[in-house]
Amino acid sequence: MVIPKEIRRTLRIREGDPLEIFTDREGEVILKKYSPIGELGALARQYSESLAQTMGCTVCITDNDQVVAASGSGKKDLQDKFISKELEKVIQAREQVVAGIDSAKYTNITSDEKEFKEEAICPILCEGDAIGAVVFLNKDEKKKFGELEQKVAMSAAGFLGRQMEQ
């Protein structure tokens, strides 16, 4: 199925992206971009809540377009928001980032997010494809993220990637 450029741009669908096609009772056709991480919605929410409690920070799980699960302080500002172009690039480059707001590597998670001071980002890989990210965020300037946060984010991303492969 060929989708016109204007519709792809509006729905943030790239050529070759998988789509779900539905029809409603009135016969209208509904196009929805397929999100593999979205398939794990309930698991992603529960996992992000557990991580946020354990790590004492805000946790986001994203697909390549939006935040699919957020827990901890500031979750309402992140849940279901589209991710920033910078985060999209980090995910596609399969980069791991641990950075403070004063670092050149710091990446805003959404285009309007400004309140977090520290972040740890780890891409979720499934069968070699980057399908999203696990992101830890911190508002406290005194608490610096380091190897612990990076390793826990890596572990979470690995777990979610393996869940997608099954």
Side-chain angles (χ1 to χ4, degrees), residues 3 9 12 22-23 30 35 38 46-47 52 77 90 103 106 117 122 124 134 136 155-157 162 165-166:
I3 299 174
R9 200 173 299 130
R12 295 182 73 173
F22 304 96
T23 57
I30 301 165
S35 168
Q46 291 171 346
Y47 200 31
D77 298 330
V90 167
S103 170
Y106 188 85
K117 308 299 181 204
C122 188
I124 300 169
V134 173
F136 290 0
S155 175
R162 282 187 293 283
E165 290 172 357
Q166 294 178 358

Short mmCIF file of all heavy atoms in Angstrom, two decimals, residues 3 9 12 22-23 30 35 38 46-47 52 77 90 103 106 117 122 124 134 136 155-157 162 165-166:
data_model
loop_
_atom_site.label_atom_id
_atom_site.label_comp_id
_atom_site.label_asym_id
_atom_site.label_seq_id
_atom_site.Cartn_x
_atom_site.Cartn_y
_atom_site.Cartn_z
N ILE A 3 1.30 5.14 0.70
CA ILE A 3 0.66 6.21 1.46
C ILE A 3 1.25 7.53 1.00
O ILE A 3 2.48 7.67 0.95
CB ILE A 3 0.89 6.01 2.96
CG1 ILE A 3 0.26 4.68 3.38
CG2 ILE A 3 0.32 7.16 3.77
CD1 ILE A 3 0.53 4.28 4.79
N ARG A 9 4.00 12.26 6.56
CA ARG A 9 4.63 13.34 7.33
C ARG A 9 3.78 13.68 8.56
O ARG A 9 4.29 13.82 9.66
CB ARG A 9 4.81 14.57 6.45
CG ARG A 9 5.85 15.54 6.96
CD ARG A 9 6.13 16.68 6.00
NE ARG A 9 6.65 16.20 4.73
CZ ARG A 9 6.18 16.57 3.53
NH1 ARG A 9 5.20 17.43 3.43
NH2 ARG A 9 6.72 16.10 2.43
N ARG A 12 4.00 10.92 11.10
CA ARG A 12 5.40 10.58 11.41
C ARG A 12 5.71 9.14 11.01
O ARG A 12 6.26 8.36 11.77
CB ARG A 12 5.69 10.81 12.89
CG ARG A 12 5.61 12.28 13.28
CD ARG A 12 5.94 12.48 14.71
NE ARG A 12 7.38 12.32 14.89
CZ ARG A 12 8.01 12.56 16.02
NH1 ARG A 12 7.36 12.99 17.06
NH2 ARG A 12 9.30 12.39 16.12
N PHE A 22 -6.99 -0.83 10.25
CA PHE A 22 -8.24 -1.25 10.86
C PHE A 22 -9.40 -0.62 10.10
O PHE A 22 -9.23 0.38 9.41
CB PHE A 22 -8.33 -0.76 12.31
CG PHE A 22 -7.20 -1.19 13.18
CD1 PHE A 22 -6.12 -0.34 13.39
CD2 PHE A 22 -7.20 -2.42 13.80
CE1 PHE A 22 -5.07 -0.71 14.22
CE2 PHE A 22 -6.15 -2.81 14.62
CZ PHE A 22 -5.09 -1.96 14.83
N THR A 23 -10.57 -1.19 10.27
CA THR A 23 -11.80 -0.54 9.80
C THR A 23 -12.76 -0.49 10.98
O THR A 23 -12.76 -1.37 11.83
CB THR A 23 -12.45 -1.33 8.64
OG1 THR A 23 -12.71 -2.66 9.06
CG2 THR A 23 -11.56 -1.33 7.41
N ILE A 30 -8.68 3.01 9.28
CA ILE A 30 -7.83 3.62 10.30
C ILE A 30 -6.40 3.10 10.11
O ILE A 30 -6.18 1.88 10.09
CB ILE A 30 -8.33 3.26 11.72
CG1 ILE A 30 -9.77 3.75 11.90
CG2 ILE A 30 -7.40 3.84 12.78
CD1 ILE A 30 -10.48 3.14 13.09
N SER A 35 3.91 -0.25 16.60
CA SER A 35 4.95 -0.05 17.60
C SER A 35 5.21 -1.35 18.33
O SER A 35 4.36 -1.80 19.10
CB SER A 35 4.53 1.02 18.60
OG SER A 35 5.40 1.01 19.71
N GLY A 38 4.96 -0.85 21.94
CA GLY A 38 3.56 -0.64 22.32
C GLY A 38 2.84 -1.94 22.60
O GLY A 38 1.91 -1.99 23.39
N GLN A 46 4.51 -1.52 34.06
CA GLN A 46 4.87 -2.16 35.33
C GLN A 46 6.38 -2.14 35.55
O GLN A 46 6.85 -1.88 36.66
CB GLN A 46 4.34 -3.60 35.37
CG GLN A 46 2.85 -3.69 35.45
CD GLN A 46 2.35 -5.12 35.27
OE1 GLN A 46 3.08 -6.00 34.84
NE2 GLN A 46 1.08 -5.34 35.60
N TYR A 47 7.12 -2.41 34.49
CA TYR A 47 8.57 -2.44 34.60
C TYR A 47 9.12 -1.04 34.90
O TYR A 47 10.01 -0.89 35.74
CB TYR A 47 9.17 -3.01 33.31
CG TYR A 47 10.57 -3.52 33.45
CD1 TYR A 47 11.04 -4.08 34.63
CD2 TYR A 47 11.45 -3.47 32.38
CE1 TYR A 47 12.33 -4.56 34.73
CE2 TYR A 47 12.73 -3.96 32.47
CZ TYR A 47 13.17 -4.50 33.66
OH TYR A 47 14.45 -4.98 33.76
N ALA A 52 11.56 2.80 38.61
CA ALA A 52 11.51 4.14 39.21
C ALA A 52 11.58 4.04 40.73
O ALA A 52 12.28 4.82 41.39
CB ALA A 52 10.25 4.87 38.77
N ASP A 77 4.29 14.71 32.50
CA ASP A 77 4.83 15.58 31.45
C ASP A 77 5.45 14.78 30.31
O ASP A 77 5.76 15.34 29.26
CB ASP A 77 5.89 16.52 32.03
CG ASP A 77 5.31 17.45 33.08
OD1 ASP A 77 4.11 17.78 32.98
OD2 ASP A 77 6.05 17.83 34.01
N VAL A 90 19.82 9.35 18.70
CA VAL A 90 20.56 8.55 19.68
C VAL A 90 20.12 7.08 19.59
O VAL A 90 20.95 6.17 19.59
CB VAL A 90 20.36 9.10 21.11
CG1 VAL A 90 20.85 8.12 22.17
CG2 VAL A 90 21.06 10.44 21.27
N SER A 103 26.30 18.91 29.85
CA SER A 103 27.12 18.15 28.92
C SER A 103 26.63 18.33 27.48
O SER A 103 25.43 18.47 27.24
CB SER A 103 27.08 16.66 29.29
OG SER A 103 27.67 15.88 28.27
N TYR A 106 24.04 15.69 26.43
CA TYR A 106 22.69 15.70 27.00
C TYR A 106 21.66 15.80 25.88
O TYR A 106 21.80 16.62 24.96
CB TYR A 106 22.53 16.86 27.99
CG TYR A 106 21.21 16.80 28.75
CD1 TYR A 106 21.10 16.04 29.90
CD2 TYR A 106 20.09 17.47 28.29
CE1 TYR A 106 19.90 15.96 30.59
CE2 TYR A 106 18.89 17.41 28.97
CZ TYR A 106 18.80 16.65 30.12
OH TYR A 106 17.61 16.56 30.80
N LYS A 117 17.92 17.14 35.16
CA LYS A 117 19.33 17.56 35.22
C LYS A 117 20.30 16.46 34.80
O LYS A 117 21.41 16.75 34.39
CB LYS A 117 19.69 18.01 36.65
CG LYS A 117 18.75 19.05 37.25
CD LYS A 117 18.73 20.31 36.45
CE LYS A 117 17.80 21.33 37.11
NZ LYS A 117 17.30 22.32 36.20
N CYS A 122 19.60 4.12 27.17
CA CYS A 122 20.09 2.89 26.57
C CYS A 122 19.08 2.42 25.53
O CYS A 122 17.89 2.26 25.85
CB CYS A 122 20.32 1.81 27.63
SG CYS A 122 21.13 0.36 26.95
N ILE A 124 16.89 0.02 23.09
CA ILE A 124 16.33 -1.33 23.14
C ILE A 124 16.54 -1.94 21.76
O ILE A 124 16.09 -1.38 20.76
CB ILE A 124 14.84 -1.31 23.49
CG1 ILE A 124 14.60 -0.65 24.85
CG2 ILE A 124 14.25 -2.72 23.45
CD1 ILE A 124 13.14 -0.35 25.15
N VAL A 134 15.33 2.81 26.94
CA VAL A 134 15.03 2.94 28.36
C VAL A 134 15.78 4.18 28.80
O VAL A 134 16.98 4.33 28.53
CB VAL A 134 15.51 1.70 29.16
CG1 VAL A 134 15.34 1.94 30.65
CG2 VAL A 134 14.76 0.46 28.72
N PHE A 136 16.51 6.89 32.07
CA PHE A 136 16.44 7.29 33.47
C PHE A 136 16.68 8.79 33.51
O PHE A 136 17.60 9.30 32.87
CB PHE A 136 17.52 6.60 34.31
CG PHE A 136 17.33 5.12 34.50
CD1 PHE A 136 16.25 4.43 33.97
CD2 PHE A 136 18.24 4.40 35.24
CE1 PHE A 136 16.07 3.07 34.16
CE2 PHE A 136 18.09 3.04 35.45
CZ PHE A 136 17.01 2.37 34.90
N SER A 155 20.46 -3.36 31.39
CA SER A 155 19.77 -4.59 31.77
C SER A 155 18.29 -4.52 31.39
O SER A 155 17.73 -5.49 30.84
CB SER A 155 19.93 -4.81 33.28
OG SER A 155 19.19 -5.91 33.70
N ALA A 156 17.66 -3.40 31.68
CA ALA A 156 16.24 -3.21 31.35
C ALA A 156 16.02 -3.26 29.84
O ALA A 156 15.08 -3.91 29.36
CB ALA A 156 15.74 -1.89 31.92
N ALA A 157 16.89 -2.59 29.08
CA ALA A 157 16.76 -2.58 27.62
C ALA A 157 16.96 -4.00 27.06
O ALA A 157 16.24 -4.41 26.15
CB ALA A 157 17.76 -1.61 27.01
N ARG A 162 14.60 -8.78 24.56
CA ARG A 162 14.37 -10.23 24.52
C ARG A 162 12.87 -10.56 24.59
O ARG A 162 12.41 -11.53 23.96
CB ARG A 162 15.14 -10.93 25.63
CG ARG A 162 16.62 -11.08 25.29
CD ARG A 162 17.38 -11.92 26.29
NE ARG A 162 17.50 -11.32 27.60
CZ ARG A 162 18.32 -10.34 27.93
NH1 ARG A 162 19.10 -9.80 27.01
NH2 ARG A 162 18.36 -9.86 29.16
N GLU A 165 11.48 -10.36 21.17
CA GLU A 165 11.89 -11.44 20.26
C GLU A 165 11.05 -12.70 20.43
O GLU A 165 11.01 -13.54 19.57
CB GLU A 165 13.38 -11.76 20.48
CG GLU A 165 14.28 -10.65 19.98
CD GLU A 165 15.75 -10.86 20.35
OE1 GLU A 165 16.08 -11.84 21.04
OE2 GLU A 165 16.55 -10.01 19.92
N GLN A 166 10.36 -12.82 21.57
CA GLN A 166 9.57 -14.03 21.82
C GLN A 166 8.19 -13.93 21.21
O GLN A 166 7.60 -12.96 21.05
CB GLN A 166 9.44 -14.26 23.32
CG GLN A 166 10.77 -14.58 23.93
CD GLN A 166 10.69 -14.78 25.45
OE1 GLN A 166 9.64 -14.65 26.05
NE2 GLN A 166 11.81 -15.09 26.06
#
